[in-house]
């Protein structure tokens, strides 16, 4: 006599989403911020890439949105344990932005309107892994979700995808950003559950 009846098949693996450990699926888009939401007029928006030698490359909104853009569909994972699958964005690949930037730096500090910062390895921003996104789901990116433009690094926890991005500073040595200085992991891989220092 079998322990499991023929009528019980268990949970079908192909119908369950492939989530990183400890994550749950959400269909809405939770809004989490470290402070008030900056409202940045497009005529005052700028993005600057600053190398470790002080060389600067700057784009205003018109110049930035004239760059080649891509539609990106990726899953996103928040350190607070929600995941949203198949999110669709439009943005400029960081490969495009760094095309003419000469640097020997291994790290980047992303800076945002409002003072937020987060650190990333430079290699995690290249080879089609990161974008500056300005549309979500076919619409201009709302300020609550980081508009007019946010960093999008979907293979890392979402705090690494800095909202309201306005600068990328090249660093020779890794330095903690806002949440990293408060105890969050320096890298933040959701598949390894790198939520906090020591994970």
């Amino acid at each position: 006599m079998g322990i499991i009846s023929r009528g019980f098949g268990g949970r079908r693996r192909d119908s369950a989403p492939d989530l990183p450990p400890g994550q749950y699926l959400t269909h809405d888009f939770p809004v989490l911020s470290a402070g008030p939401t900056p409202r940045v007029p497009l005529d005052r928006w700028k993005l600057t890439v600053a190398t470790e030698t002080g060389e600067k490359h700057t784009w205003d909104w018109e110049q930035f949105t004239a760059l080649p853009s891509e539609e990106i569909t990726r899953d996103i994972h928040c350190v607070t344990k929600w995941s949203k699958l198949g999110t669709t964005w439009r943005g400029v690949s960081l490969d495009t932005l760094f095309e003419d930037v000469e640097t020997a730096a291994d790290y980047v500090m992303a800076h945002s309107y409002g003072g937020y910062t987060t650190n990333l390895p430079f290699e995690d921003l290249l080879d089609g892994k990161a974008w500056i996104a300005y549309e979500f789901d076919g619409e201009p990116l709302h300020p609550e979700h980081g508009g007019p433009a946010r960093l999008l690094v979907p293979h890392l926890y979402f705090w690494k995808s800095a909202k309201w991005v306005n600068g990328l500073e090249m660093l020779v040595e890794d330095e903690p950003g806002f949440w990293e200085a408060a105890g969050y992991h320096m890298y933040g891989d959701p598949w390894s559950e790198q939520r906090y220092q020591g994970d």
Side-chain angles (χ1 to χ4, degrees):
M1 180 172 175
I3 295 174
I4 298 175
S5 75
R6 288 182 179 271
F8 180 74
R11 181 179 291 171
R12 291 179 43 161
R13 286 200 174 280
D14 60 352
S15 65
D18 188 16
L19 296 176
Q23 297 292 110
Y24 69 88
L25 184 63
T26 187
H27 295 287
D28 58 357
F29 196 166
V31 175
L32 302 167
S33 300
T37 298
R39 307 285 173 171
V40 185
L42 297 182
D43 63 351
R44 290 195 294 158
W45 183 90
K46 287 200 178 346
L47 176 69
T48 300
V49 172
T51 71
E52 69 278 16
T53 63
E55 183 183 358
K56 293 186 177 179
H57 303 260
T58 302
W59 298 264
D60 63 21
W61 187 254
E62 188 176 339
Q63 293 165 331
F64 172 72
T65 55
L67 294 170
S69 65
E70 303 173 12
E71 186 172 287
I72 310 111
T73 301
R74 296 288 189 282
D75 302 339
I76 54 176
H77 310 288
C78 183
V79 71
T80 61
K81 301 192 176 182
W82 61 261
S83 289
K84 187 171 175 63
L85 305 182
T87 62
T88 303
W89 308 79
R90 176 163 292 282
V92 175
S93 170
L94 266 70
D95 294 309
T96 299
L97 293 176
F98 284 112
E99 209 167 56
D100 297 322
V101 175
E102 299 228 2
T103 181
D106 290 325
Y107 301 95
V108 175
M109 184 70 74
H111 294 266
S112 299
Y113 290 99
Y116 180 80
T117 57
T118 192
N119 62 309
L120 302 118
F122 186 34
E123 66 183 2
D124 281 85
L125 302 180
L126 302 176
D127 301 322
K129 292 185 278 191
W131 299 264
I132 303 292
Y134 57 88
E135 286 184 10
F136 175 74
D137 223 7
E139 300 287 333
L141 188 58
H142 294 285
E144 297 77 26
H145 293 301
R150 77 176 296 154
L151 185 59
L152 179 64
V153 190
H155 67 280
L156 299 178
Y157 278 125
F158 214 43
W159 92 79
K160 294 291 189 175
S161 293
K163 296 179 180 181
W164 317 297
V165 68
N166 68 358
L168 299 169
E169 175 190 5
M170 310 304 298
L171 301 172
V172 175
E173 302 282 330
D174 199 10
E175 296 176 15
F178 178 86
W179 284 118
E180 297 83 9
Y184 279 46
H185 201 278
M186 288 291 278
Y187 186 61
D189 177 4
W191 296 97
S192 299
E193 286 195 273
Q194 293 176 338
R195 300 176 197 279
Y196 306 105
Q197 290 175 17
D199 288 348

